[in-house]
Amino acid sequence: MAAERVGRKGHSPREPGAALQRRQARVTARYDRGELQRRLEVERWMEERLRDLYGEQADMILDLSIDDLLELQSDEERGNKLQVMFTPCSQNTDEFIRELVTKLQGLHKVQVQRVGMEEPKRH
């Protein structure tokens, strides 16, 4: 009976270091649920507006990243970068750029942290 409790039928008993190894391999992202929801709303708004500007080709024309814009130091830099990106667009993009820059205020770049991951050891 004691032998039956040690391992499950068809499974070998867990090794003591296996759980620790699994925990160390996790990757987590730090975020606030409200921040994540707001970011998702901005992304949806962006996609909708890009479709208004470019039609169905919006996905193929621009690769617009919120994180890339958030890396810039000021709203002015973000606006300038967007102006350059939208130069080839035949539609007027000024309103879109102003609204997007405003919506980006208060958002933060998503931080991904590796928890317990060690750098590969070189021998």
Side-chain angles (χ1 to χ4, degrees), residues 2-56:
E4 291 175 11
R5 283 184 255 154
V6 172
R8 291 185 228 153
K9 185 177 180 179
H11 298 286
S12 60
R14 288 186 177 171
E15 296 177 22
L20 178 61
Q21 188 176 20
R22 273 193 305 265
R23 268 192 308 238
Q24 288 179 340
R26 284 188 302 188
V27 175
T28 61
R30 286 189 173 192
Y31 60 88
D32 172 14
R33 185 176 226 142
E35 167 93 12
L36 192 59
Q37 181 62 40
R38 189 165 164 241
R39 183 185 180 92
L40 181 61
E41 289 169 4
V42 170
E43 287 177 356
R44 286 180 181 159
W45 175 86
M46 263 181 15
E47 288 175 9
E48 183 180 311
R49 290 300 311 263
L50 288 172
R51 278 192 185 70
D52 291 345
L53 292 170
Y54 288 100
E56 293 301 317

Side-chain angles (χ1 to χ4, degrees), residues 29-31 35-36 38-40 42-43 46 63-74 77-78 81-82 85 100 103-112:
R30 286 189 173 192
Y31 60 88
E35 167 93 12
L36 192 59
R38 189 165 164 241
R39 183 185 180 92
L40 181 61
V42 170
E43 287 177 356
M46 263 181 15
D63 184 24
L64 186 57
S65 166
I66 289 178
D67 284 331
D68 290 346
L69 293 171
L70 291 174
E71 285 180 357
L72 299 173
Q73 298 299 315
S74 70
E77 287 180 75
R78 291 179 189 108
K81 180 174 181 165
L82 289 166
M85 288 177 74
L100 179 56
K103 288 179 180 290
L104 291 175
Q105 292 173 348
L107 287 181
H108 303 286
K109 186 175 176 187
V110 173
Q111 301 280 329
V112 176

Side-chain angles (χ1 to χ4, degrees), residues 53-54 82-83 86 89 91-98:
L53 292 170
Y54 288 100
L82 289 166
Q83 286 288 349
F86 287 104
C89 184
Q91 306 263 350
N92 184 355
T93 59
D94 293 339
E95 182 182 342
F96 169 76
I97 291 171
R98 274 193 308 275

